[in-house]
């Protein structure tokens, strides 16, 4: 009977795990309810990368899984005129939770992402609660649940993870890896050695970036356990336990190699961003983020774990019931981890020696987890001495006094810290001196309510302050429904592309559908970016986001037969045009334009001359402070007095053929251009070159040449800037139509485009260069007939293959770089795991049985 009662007690205690999950999700949801944000109100929440990357990419993932995407898990035909997909899959939506999108209709994709975020936070709370119960099973189960909630709703989870959904998998991975290592540490069982590597591999598949940080955090925990655990046994036993943990982690990472290695290869081919110099922030602002409700996205670490857990963590070094060695080791480990966030070399280690352009404190969730672990170890051991309460209270009061009014603080910070702090200390006091049963029941309830209210209020405050700083918009509404209906109604891939534009996000081809050039990703191939920029595309984020020039020559080259535009009433409509087919046959020695980029490269890609780039003259309006100089070779330098509030105007005049469309190329031009003499349109804004933004302007249509052929382009600038020497291009539409007709006549007999392959059946007697409307990027290989596979050539950046008169077909396939190596490493890891298990089984059989 006693054993049955004990088992029931343990069962009730483990209810803390699901209860922690529910409470953490409830706190997260409560913030949205209070604010009235989606899905509980009309306020959008899709800021920054949540709206621009995660939601569109999850929509694309759903299309792949339902068979409606023009591509597969290797290649994405929707974006960038064709881009690799494995890198995006691993960086944005490779986790098991991403499959939740299948449970929602496509027009509820933003709701699916909200559910994924809430589920991830719930899983993090459950995982931390389970780990804490494993680490110190003697503490109160309800306090372990509160600790799990405090970790899962830490400042980092609401602040950074709130809009970077993929990062939340690192939040789950840290306590899970710690739990697995504790399992391996405490036992030498075969199940722990078999299960752990596969779980770790699953997390590395989910989001290798933050899971790498979680793995470093777990290493800190294991080292602290090896050095500080008073019940860890002799040093040989400790080292063996740590070695087993290291083995399962390494094998787990290696098991993820089939996708991890190709991802690293794609990152190596990706558009590089400028080197970042790490600048630590002031310690007052740093430690101020320990206070709940603080918000400092992109600049400061989200360390807050709630007032209660902060007090408990501060009590750890002064809790005399904990062994001195354990207190010293853990306190040193946490302090060193905190310090490592502010030191350049360790900052680089945390980020895999690739300093980020955004928030330099992305590893803050690990430190938050260490703080929670210390707090749990203290309270689970028991807090009995008054000094163990008073000293932490003094530290907290001092921090609050100096930091409660920082720029990162909110109204929640000002109220929650003193209120929850007083309640926590009062609960300790009343339960220490002859408490009644009623007091023992009420005190925990008060603390639970206080912690949950504080977490919910912090969720609200952080989301509200972030929403004030950054633009938000609905991912899906009536406008997006109309856009998708128009795009999919005219879908005829690969005969033509339908470009959805960027009316909602810079990843609209994935969100809305179609096959456009817009694409924003950290894994965008550098070759793709460079070729599109050479053709006159614009960019932002150092070239990791592509801006469509909406240019008829580019559309003709890339088979964009229809594109989403706005009519004069501001309503969405499709504009159609005759364009070249996706695959064309050119002469073996293609015609090459003599004009400079981008007009010349567009002509070369088209195979015909359609532009003129006339000489021009600059005129400055009377009274304008602007001066224009052509003394620098190849550049027009536009000077504007710095600090002058009024923008200065000037004009560029040139002569085109009457009726020509006039385009302006000014990738570095900061200012506005008057389009068709009616509407001022921004080229680049002031600050467009600052870190994290770094934009370039696309080629832009500005007018049509009148009967006289004289072109007068009016511009205004707020600061010094520049233009190319010949920025104006005059497009002859008649010549463009003729060039398109020639290309349409050259199309092969049949073209089939699969998920990541192109198969072309040639007309009999074809001789020339088979050119495909996709930029050549690493990973493509082609062959003619049954010849050996080889790297394709290129024409103006487009993928191409030469063929002779006897050739009958061309086949091209995209093979992710590193896939074969990844499969070999994964197979080797599986073999190593099997050998390890076999060796352990053999040793166990040979070990003499203990009497």
């Amino acid at each position: 009977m006693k054993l049955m009662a004990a088992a029931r007690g343990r069962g009730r205690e483990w209810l803390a795990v699901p209860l922690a999950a529910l409470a953490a999700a409830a706190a997260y949801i409560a913030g949205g309810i209070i604010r009235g944000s989606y899905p509980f109100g009309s306020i959008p929440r899709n800021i920054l990368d949540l709206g621009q990357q995660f939601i569109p990419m999850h929509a694309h993932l759903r299309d792949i899984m339902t068979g409606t995407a023009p591509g597969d898990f290797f290649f994405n035909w929707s974006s960038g005129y064709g881009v690799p997909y494995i890198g995006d899959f691993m960086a944005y939506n490779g986790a098991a939770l991403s499959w939740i999108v299948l449970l929602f209709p496509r027009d509820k994709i933003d709701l699916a992402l909200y559910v994924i975020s809430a589920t991830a936070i719930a899983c993090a709370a459950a995982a931390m609660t389970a780990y804490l119960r494993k680490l110190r099973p003697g503490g109160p189960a309800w306090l372990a649940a509160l600790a799990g909630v405090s970790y899962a709703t830490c400042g980092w989870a609401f602040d950074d993870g709130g809009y970077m959904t993929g990062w939340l998998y690192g939040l789950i991975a840290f306590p899970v890896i710690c739990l697995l290592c504790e399992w391996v540490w405490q036992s030498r069982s075969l199940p722990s050695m078999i299960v752990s590597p596969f779980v770790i591999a699953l997390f590395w598949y989910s989001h290798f970036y933050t899971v790498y940080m979680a793995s470093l955090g777990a290493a800190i925990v294991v080292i602290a356990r090896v050095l500080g655990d008073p019940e860890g046994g002799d040093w040989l036993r400790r080292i063996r336990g740590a070695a087993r943990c290291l083995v399962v982690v390494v094998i787990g990472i290696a098991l993820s190699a089939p996708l991890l290695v190709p991802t690293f290869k794609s990152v190596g081919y990706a558009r590089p961003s400028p080197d970042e110099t790490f600048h630590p922030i002031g310690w007052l602002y740093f430690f101020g983020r320990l206070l709940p409700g603080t918000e400092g996205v992109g600049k400061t670490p989200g360390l807050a774990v709630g007032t209660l857990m902060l007090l408990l963590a501060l009590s750890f070094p002064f809790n005399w019931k904990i062994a001195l060695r354990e207190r010293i080791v853990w306190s040193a480990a946490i302090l060193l981890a905190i310090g490592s966030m502010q030191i350049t070399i360790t900052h680089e280690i945390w980020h895999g020696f690739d300093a980020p352009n955004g928030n330099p404190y992305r590893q803050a969730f690990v430190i938050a987890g260490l703080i929670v672990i210390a707090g749990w170890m203290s309270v689970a051991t028991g807090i009995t001495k008054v000094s163990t309460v008073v000293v932490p209270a003094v530290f907290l009061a001092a921090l609050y006094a100096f930091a409660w009014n920082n720029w990162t603080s909110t109204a929640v910070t000002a109220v929650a810290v003193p209120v929850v702090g007083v309640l926590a200390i009062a609960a300790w006091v009343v339960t220490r001196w002859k408490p009644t049963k009623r007091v023992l029941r009420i005190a925990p309830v008060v603390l639970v309510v206080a912690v949950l209210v504080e977490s919910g209020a912090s969720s609200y405050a952080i989301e509200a302050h972030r929403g004030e700083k950054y633009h938000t918009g609905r991912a899906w509404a009536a406008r997006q429904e109309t856009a998708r209906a128009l795009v999919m109604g005219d879908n005829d891939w690969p005969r033509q592309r339908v470009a959805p534009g960027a009316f909602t996000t810079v990843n609209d081809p994935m969100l809305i559908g179609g096959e456009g050039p817009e694409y924003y990703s950290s894994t965008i191939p550098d070759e793709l970016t460079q070729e599109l920029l050479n053709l006159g595309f614009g960019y932002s984020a150092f070239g990791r986001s592509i801006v469509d020039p909406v240019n008829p020559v580019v559309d003709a080259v890339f088979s964009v037969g229809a594109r989403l535009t706005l009519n004069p009433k501001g309503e969405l409509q499709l504009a159609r045009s005759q364009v070249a087919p996706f695959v064309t046959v050119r002469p073996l020695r293609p015609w090459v334009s003599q004009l400079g980029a981008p007009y010349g490269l567009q002509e070369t890609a088209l195979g015909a001359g359609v532009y003129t780039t006339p000489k021009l003259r600059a005129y400055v309006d009377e009274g304008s402070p602007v001066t224009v100089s052509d003394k620098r070779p190849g550049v027009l330098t536009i000077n504007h007095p710095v600090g002058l509030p009024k923008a200065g105007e000037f004009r560029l005049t040139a002569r085109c053929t009457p009726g020509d469309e006039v385009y302006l190329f000014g990738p570095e031009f900061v200012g506005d251009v008057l389009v068709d003499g009616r509407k001022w349109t921004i080229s680049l804004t002031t600050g467009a070159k600052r870190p994290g933004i770094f934009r370039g302007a696309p080629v832009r249509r500005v007018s049509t040449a009148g009967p006289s052929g004289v072109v007068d382009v009016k511009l205004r600038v707020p600061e010094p800037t520049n233009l190319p020497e010949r920025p104006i291009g005059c497009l002859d539409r008649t010549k463009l139509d003729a060039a398109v007709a020639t290309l349409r006549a050259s199309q092969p007999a049949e073209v089939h485009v699969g998920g990541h392959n192109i198969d072309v059946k040639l007309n009999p007697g074809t001789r020339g260069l088979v050119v495909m409307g996709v930029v050549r990027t690493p990973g493509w290989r082609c062959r003619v007939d049954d010849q050996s596979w080889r790297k394709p050539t290129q024409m103006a950046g487009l993928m191409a293959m030469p063929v002779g008169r006897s050739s009958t077909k061309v086949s091209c396939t995209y093979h992710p770089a590193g896939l074969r190596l990844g499969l070999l490493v994964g197979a080797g890891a599986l073999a190593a795991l099997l050998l390890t298990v076999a060796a352990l089984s053999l040793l166990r059989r040979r070990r003499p049985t203990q009497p």
Side-chain angles (χ1 to χ4, degrees):
M1 293 296 292
K2 289 182 178 179
L3 288 174
M4 291 176 64
R8 286 195 297 269
R10 286 194 296 270
R12 284 194 297 269
E13 287 182 355
W14 281 102
L15 281 174
V17 173
L19 289 176
L22 291 174
Y28 174 70
I29 292 169
I33 294 175
I34 296 169
R35 187 178 177 226
S37 58
Y38 181 84
F40 307 104
S42 59
I43 301 174
R45 56 182 295 274
N46 303 323
I47 71 160
L48 300 173
D49 288 357
L50 174 59
Q52 298 295 328
Q53 289 184 305
F54 283 98
I55 287 178
M57 289 186 180
H58 277 76
H60 182 70
L61 175 68
R62 188 186 186 282
D63 288 345
I64 290 176
M65 292 189 291
T66 56
T68 58
D72 54 22
F73 283 99
F74 279 8
F75 205 75
N76 168 16
W77 286 109
S78 293
S79 306
Y81 296 138
V83 293
Y85 180 63
I86 279 185
D88 287 340
F89 177 76
M90 289 287 282
Y92 298 101
N93 49 22
L97 291 182
S98 295
W99 292 66
I100 287 176
V101 296
L102 285 175
L103 302 178
F104 293 83
R106 200 180 189 283
D107 60 359
K108 297 295 182 184
I109 192 68
D110 43 355
L111 179 60
L113 265 291
Y114 185 83
V115 171
I116 289 172
S117 295
T119 305
I121 286 174
C123 290
M128 180 57 82
T129 303
Y131 171 65
L132 297 178
R133 296 296 297 158
K134 182 75 172 176
L135 180 66
R136 285 285 197 278
W142 66 271
L143 264 175
L146 274 190
V149 171
S150 297
Y151 166 73
T153 60
C154 65
W156 182 92
F158 289 151
D159 208 348
D160 299 272
Y163 69 94
M164 298 293 290
T165 308
W167 290 10
L168 291 173
Y169 302 119
L171 190 74
I172 307 171
F174 173 61
V176 170
I177 297 174
C178 289
L179 180 61
L180 294 173
C181 283
E182 192 68 27
W183 186 19
V184 172
W185 162 272
Q186 292 186 11
S187 69
R188 288 175 287 180
S189 65
L190 290 181
S192 67
M193 297 296 293
I194 295 173
V195 173
S196 297
F198 289 103
V199 176
I200 290 168
L202 179 65
F203 277 106
W204 274 78
Y205 276 127
S206 297
H207 194 252
F208 66 93
Y209 184 59
T210 51
V211 175
Y212 160 76
M213 299 173 188
S215 301
L216 289 183
I220 294 172
V221 171
V222 170
I223 292 171
R225 292 285 286 147
V226 169
L227 298 178
D229 184 12
E231 299 176 0
D234 58 38
W235 283 106
L236 183 59
R237 182 181 183 278
R238 295 167 189 261
I239 293 172
R240 282 177 176 171
R244 289 196 302 273
C245 180
L246 179 63
V247 167
V248 300
V249 170
V250 170
I251 292 177
I253 295 172
L255 285 173
S256 67
L259 288 182
L260 201 61
V261 174
T263 300
F264 287 163
K265 288 285 188 180
S266 69
V267 170
Y269 293 138
R271 179 72 171 181
S273 55
D275 294 334
E276 286 289 314
T277 302
F278 173 64
H279 298 288
I281 62 172
W283 284 106
L284 179 61
Y285 297 109
F286 184 94
F287 285 117
R289 288 304 312 273
L290 287 167
L291 300 179
T294 51
E295 189 277 333
V297 63
K299 298 179 181 178
T300 59
L303 299 172
V305 292
T307 306
L308 175 63
M309 288 313 300
L310 180 57
L311 274 171
L312 293 175
L314 290 171
S315 74
F316 177 81
F318 310 102
N319 191 337
W320 315 118
K321 293 186 70 175
I322 301 173
L324 178 61
R325 185 174 73 179
E326 191 169 30
R327 279 186 284 139
I328 291 174
V329 168
W330 275 93
S331 299
I334 294 173
L335 288 174
L336 288 172
I338 291 173
S340 70
M341 301 176 76
Q342 292 273 74
I343 300 171
T344 300
I345 181 62
T346 45
H347 159 82
E348 292 179 353
I349 292 173
W350 275 113
H351 294 89
F353 295 95
D354 185 15
N357 295 118
N359 190 353
Y361 299 104
R362 301 178 180 188
Q363 73 277 40
F365 72 96
V366 173
I367 312 302
L370 294 174
I371 292 171
V372 167
I373 292 170
W376 168 250
M377 291 172 68
S378 183
V379 73
T381 306
I383 299 174
T384 57
K385 290 184 177 290
V386 174
S387 60
T388 311
V389 177
V390 172
V391 175
V394 170
F395 274 114
L396 179 61
L399 177 61
Y400 178 76
F402 284 104
W404 74 272
N405 202 26
N406 278 348
W407 65 270
T408 60
S409 299
T410 66
V412 171
T413 309
V415 175
V417 176
V419 170
V420 179
V422 168
L423 287 175
I425 295 171
W428 180 84
V429 170
V430 299
T431 55
R432 286 300 302 156
W433 282 281
K434 299 179 181 179
T436 64
K437 288 185 178 180
R438 188 173 185 180
V439 168
L440 290 175
R441 291 193 187 103
I442 293 175
V445 172
V446 170
L447 277 184
V448 169
V449 171
V451 169
L452 294 183
V453 169
E454 182 184 65
S455 296
S458 295
S459 173
Y460 157 75
I462 290 172
E463 185 179 314
H465 276 248
R466 194 172 56 223
E468 293 173 359
K469 296 179 181 179
Y470 300 101
H471 169 74
T472 58
R474 280 292 304 275
W476 203 272
R479 182 181 177 89
Q480 286 74 28
E481 197 67 39
T482 300
R484 181 165 173 80
L486 288 169
V487 168
M488 300 309 292
D490 211 46
N491 186 44
D492 194 20
W493 169 253
R495 290 184 178 87
Q496 69 167 14
R497 287 182 165 104
V498 181
F503 294 101
T504 302
T505 74
V506 290
N507 272 316
D508 268 8
M510 285 189 271
L511 178 66
I512 302 299
E515 304 83 23
E518 291 84 4
Y519 182 49
Y520 172 33
S521 170
S522 297
T523 63
I524 184 171
D526 187 37
E527 287 189 26
L528 173 70
T529 296
Q530 196 55 57
E531 291 297 341
L532 293 183
L533 298 192
N534 292 342
L535 286 166
F537 282 72
Y539 65 92
S540 63
F542 303 103
R544 289 174 294 185
S545 177
I546 298 299
V547 179
D548 188 355
V550 192
N551 180 276
V553 180
V554 172
D555 285 353
V557 168
F558 286 101
S559 307
V560 181
R563 63 167 52 253
L564 210 58
T565 61
L566 295 176
N567 63 22
K569 296 180 180 180
E571 299 168 335
L572 292 171
Q573 65 177 15
L574 272 185
R576 298 175 177 85
S577 58
Q578 287 289 320
V579 294
F582 176 67
V583 179
T584 57
V585 180
R586 316 289 183 91
L588 279 175
R589 292 187 177 181
W591 176 82
V592 177
S593 172
Q594 299 303 307
L595 299 181
Y599 305 115
L601 194 63
Q602 288 184 17
E603 288 187 335
T604 300
L606 183 68
V610 293
Y611 283 109
T612 56
T613 54
K615 292 183 178 180
L616 51 83
R617 296 186 64 181
Y619 295 92
V620 178
D621 294 346
E622 187 176 349
S624 173
V626 173
T627 59
V628 181
S629 171
D630 59 358
K631 292 182 179 179
R632 288 176 56 195
V635 177
L636 289 177
T637 303
I638 299 113
N639 291 310
H640 181 277
V642 177
L644 191 68
K646 182 181 178 182
E649 296 184 3
F650 68 101
R651 293 176 295 121
L652 298 177
T653 62
R655 184 174 294 275
C656 302
T657 301
D660 280 0
E661 291 184 2
V662 182
Y663 289 83
L664 177 72
F665 178 56
E668 309 295 320
F669 178 73
V670 176
D672 307 327
V673 57
L674 190 65
V675 176
D676 290 325
R678 297 190 302 269
K679 181 181 178 182
W680 285 104
T681 303
I682 298 172
S683 176
L684 290 177
T685 59
T686 299
K689 298 300 182 183
R690 70 175 185 266
I693 306 292
F694 214 83
R695 294 190 178 100
V699 169
R700 186 183 305 278
R701 180 194 169 279
V702 291
S703 65
T704 301
S708 66
V710 174
V711 176
D712 192 346
V713 180
K714 197 170 185 177
L715 306 104
R716 63 186 182 192
V717 294
E719 63 181 42
T721 184
N722 64 72
L723 283 166
E725 184 179 21
R726 293 200 177 190
I728 291 178
C730 307
L731 173 63
D732 188 326
R733 276 283 191 161
T734 303
K735 292 181 180 179
L736 175 60
D737 293 341
V740 167
T742 300
L743 291 178
R744 290 175 70 87
S746 76
Q747 62 183 319
E750 292 180 19
V751 175
H752 173 75
V753 179
H756 60 279
N757 63 284
I758 305 170
D759 294 312
V760 181
K761 181 180 179 181
L762 301 172
N763 292 310
T766 297
R767 180 177 181 270
L769 195 65
V770 177
V771 179
M772 289 151 271
V774 57
V775 174
R776 186 190 65 175
T777 52
W780 279 106
R781 56 182 185 174
C782 300
R783 68 177 180 179
V784 178
D785 295 329
D786 295 321
Q787 299 173 12
S788 59
W789 293 96
R790 59 191 178 93
K791 182 179 178 180
T793 185
Q794 60 88 27
M795 189 212 71
L798 303 179
M799 191 163 70
M801 280 292 289
V803 295
R805 295 192 185 281
S806 61
S807 303
T808 60
K809 65 179 180 178
V810 173
S811 301
C812 295
T813 183
Y814 176 78
H815 184 85
L819 181 60
R820 184 175 301 172
L821 175 61
L823 289 170
L824 288 173
V825 173
L830 185 59
L833 177 60
L834 294 175
L835 288 173
T836 301
V837 171
L840 289 174
S841 300
L842 184 62
L843 289 173
R844 176 169 293 185
R845 289 188 188 133
R846 290 185 175 181
R847 189 180 299 123
T849 304
Q850 295 292 333

